[in-house]
Amino acid sequence: MTATVNGEAYAPRDGETVLDLVAARLGRPLGPDGQPLDGGRLGVAVAVDRAVVPRGSWSRTALADGQHIDIVTAVQGG
Amino acid sequence: MDIRDAGPTGASLTAPLVIGERSFGSRLVMGTGGATSMATLEKALVASGTELTTVAMRRFGPTGRESLFALLERLGIHALPNTAGCYTARDAVLTAELAREALETDWVKLEVIADEDTLLPDPVELARAAEDLVGRGFVVLAYTNDDPALARRLEDLGVAAVMPAGAPIGTGLGILNPHNIGLIVSRASVPVILDAGVGTASDACLAMELGCDAVLLATAVTRAQDPVGMATAMRYAVEAGFRARHAGRIPRRTLALASSPLEGMIAGSREEDAL
């Protein structure tokens, strides 16, 4: 199974969810509601195949073959 | 009367800038684009006195440094996500939705550009995106051309602020069409924020003198030789322009008008000299 995360090929583990992926990328533990367990705000959003997946749905959204996943955050800009 | 000579707005000098349901003490919106380091950016943001700053939405990459989001949280500055880089209404709407999810804000600076050489707004896609985003419950601050008709159209579509360009983004050319900016101001019932083209403090001051409610700038500060110094200058320029507008400028005249009294002069009149 191969997906694309932020433009790069990625092989998800069996049963890996968007929540698992985001927690691993950010290095922050997340609760089932997608909120960080360290108390801060998260500051990222996820689109799968150009559709936003709300934070509350991450734990129920398994990664699938061929998906394009984008994890975005705020950077310096106009 | 020249539209630029319009009198004071009647707003109190201490009146906050109100956009949507939020109030700001500062009328300078500082963008974060172009800063060479986060440390310099932080100092410039603080020096500018801004309470609202634009950010772009891009793919997350681990940096090991403090995120911009965390920096703004720490400084207590509201993040205004933009849709920079979008050429279509569809892309702008997706970017706005991602920003709403990531930053937990309904606010968006809507940018839909026509081409990369001018970075000027595409009016048709801009209007489409504005209508869609307003319908989705966003507070839309629309970056637009300096076109009074388009500004009015955007307002009719329900945007919370119109942000006409003084000149193309990053050019530092100042306000190329002050008459149009004055026209937009005179017809708008939502805040007008001069956005893009500011090169130095006098440009920001002029925008406020023309009656803009605020100024948005980034490059003029972040790419100045001394960003902190320029941020400070911009803070005072915006305030000076706002105060000057409030005070009401004198009308323009074609011929001179002496400010000293003509009575009691010690020198004789021209007629006496001739005798």
Side-chain angles (χ1 to χ4, degrees):
Chain A
M1 184 161 83
T2 307
T4 305
V5 176
N6 282 357
E8 293 177 2
Y10 180 73
R13 289 179 284 102
D14 273 353
E16 183 172 352
T17 64
V18 170
L19 186 93
D20 299 330
L21 176 69
V22 174
R25 290 282 164 132
L26 270 67
R28 291 170 75 180
L30 303 178
D33 58 357
Q35 296 296 344
L37 295 173
D38 58 23
R41 289 167 74 202
L42 194 61
V44 303
V46 174
V48 174
D49 294 333
R50 292 182 57 84
V52 179
V53 179
R55 199 170 297 179
S57 306
W58 288 354
S59 60
R60 299 190 300 275
T61 308
L63 303 183
D65 195 35
Q67 275 178 339
H68 289 271
I69 300 138
D70 284 299
I71 307 171
V72 302
T73 189
V75 301
Q76 292 179 25
Chain B
M1 185 175 67
D2 189 320
I3 193 81
R4 291 181 287 170
D5 294 344
T9 58
S12 159
L13 274 178
T14 54
L17 168 66
V18 179
I19 305 172
E21 292 177 351
R22 221 183 261 169
S23 296
F24 303 92
S26 165
R27 290 173 180 272
L28 175 56
V29 184
M30 204 187 118
T32 56
T36 49
S37 80
M38 288 285 270
T40 306
L41 177 64
E42 177 173 358
K43 286 182 198 151
L45 284 168
V46 170
S48 76
T50 192
E51 296 166 23
L52 180 67
T53 187
T54 58
V55 298
M57 301 307 297
R58 293 294 180 265
R59 286 170 169 168
F60 174 85
T63 61
R65 291 173 287 135
E66 184 182 32
S67 74
L68 180 59
F69 180 66
L71 170 69
L72 297 180
E73 271 208 306
R74 183 159 56 77
L75 296 177
I77 299 174
H78 292 286
L80 173 62
N82 68 23
T83 62
C86 293
Y87 290 83
T88 64
R90 187 165 166 263
D91 281 351
V93 170
L94 173 60
T95 303
E97 289 284 12
L98 283 167
R100 172 147 76 177
E101 177 74 10
L103 307 183
E104 298 164 43
T105 175
D106 290 331
W107 283 42
V108 65
K109 173 186 165 180
L110 176 60
E111 276 185 59
V112 191
I113 55 174
D115 66 84
E116 62 185 19
D117 288 331
T118 65
L119 298 179
L120 287 171
D122 178 315
V124 176
E125 291 295 309
L126 173 64
R128 267 189 200 139
E131 186 170 25
D132 192 334
L133 289 171
V134 168
R136 290 167 186 251
F138 280 90
V139 176
V140 179
L141 288 74
Y143 169 61
T144 178
N145 309 74
D146 62 357
D147 174 352
L150 179 58
R152 175 61 72 84
R153 189 61 177 268
L154 290 166
E155 189 180 328
D156 291 344
L157 291 173
V159 304
V162 291
M163 305 205 290
I169 292 170
T171 60
L173 290 171
I175 298 176
L176 296 178
N177 195 334
H179 181 75
N180 270 14
I181 299 298
L183 260 180
I184 290 170
V185 165
S186 70
R187 290 152 45 102
S189 56
V190 296
V192 176
I193 303 172
L194 193 284
D195 183 359
V198 169
T200 187
S202 52
D203 301 328
C205 191
L206 174 60
M208 298 304 290
E209 289 174 5
L210 290 169
C212 291
D213 297 281
V215 175
L216 197 167
L217 55 88
T219 309
V221 163
T222 57
R223 297 203 168 121
Q225 288 183 29
D226 173 6
V228 177
M230 188 59 89
T232 309
M234 292 299 184
R235 175 187 198 148
Y236 290 121
V238 167
E239 187 178 339
F242 183 65
R243 283 175 178 269
R245 168 75 176 193
H246 183 77
R249 62 155 294 139
I250 58 165
R252 287 178 168 81
R253 296 169 51 91
T254 49
L255 293 175
L257 173 66
S259 58
S260 305
L262 296 175
E263 297 81 26
M265 289 180 63
I266 52 171
S269 70
R270 248 183 258 177
E271 289 73 18
E272 285 166 340
D273 288 345
L275 289 174

